[in-house]
Amino acid sequence: MREKLYRFMSGRNGMDELSRMESWLVLILLLAGVLTRLGIFTVLALILMIHMYFRVFSKNTAKRYEENQRYVNFRYGRTVQWNRAKKHMGQMKTHRFYRCPACKQKVRVPRGHGRIEISCPKCREKFIRRS
Ligand SMILES: [Zn+2]
């Protein structure tokens, strides 16, 4: 049985990050369908499940790899953005953020020093703001 499954799966894409994410989404959609009793969730779950199994059993691994890479890169970008936002929120109490009027570079200054002259770390432009 194991041997048969192994032979069947050889040359096929199998599970990757994208299909793992899809299988979670299927589960969530099915749960949403049960909780809300809206048929649309079940239909969406089915469509997604078909798409997921299509990718898992697909023999066009190059194309599937490319899709997966796109998803992984997308997720990485979101994580970076989220971490940046989190860091920014953590510093809101102690710092103020301004954009350089010349080059739009974000500049961070400590709060509580009154009016100060800020010099942009990127283009050396000087501007005055309240800290
Ligand atoms: Zn600048």
Side-chain angles (χ1 to χ4, degrees), residues 65-122:
Y65 177 78
E66 202 181 287
E67 289 166 356
N68 189 55
Q69 273 320 98
R70 237 179 295 148
Y71 163 67
V72 170
N73 287 341
F74 172 79
R75 199 177 60 179
Y76 177 74
R78 291 297 85 78
T79 310
V80 167
Q81 240 176 21
W82 171 246
N83 286 340
R84 213 178 281 150
K86 230 169 37 185
K87 196 173 149 201
H88 183 93
M89 287 300 278
Q91 295 177 336
M92 287 289 263
K93 273 199 178 125
T94 52
H95 293 79
R96 292 195 78 142
F97 294 85
Y98 289 111
R99 270 191 195 283
C100 166
C103 72
K104 309 292 174 215
Q105 164 74 35
K106 212 197 260 173
V107 185
R108 190 191 71 173
V109 293
R111 281 179 184 272
H113 293 276
R115 281 168 69 81
I116 51 163
E117 187 185 66
I118 302 164
S119 72
C120 172
K122 198 170 154 195

Side-chain angles (χ1 to χ4, degrees), residues 4 8 47-48 51 56 64 68 92 97 103 111 120:
K4 245 184 202 163
F8 175 72
I47 293 168
L48 201 64
H51 183 256
V56 168
R64 301 291 88 81
N68 189 55
M92 287 289 263
F97 294 85
C103 72
R111 281 179 184 272
C120 172

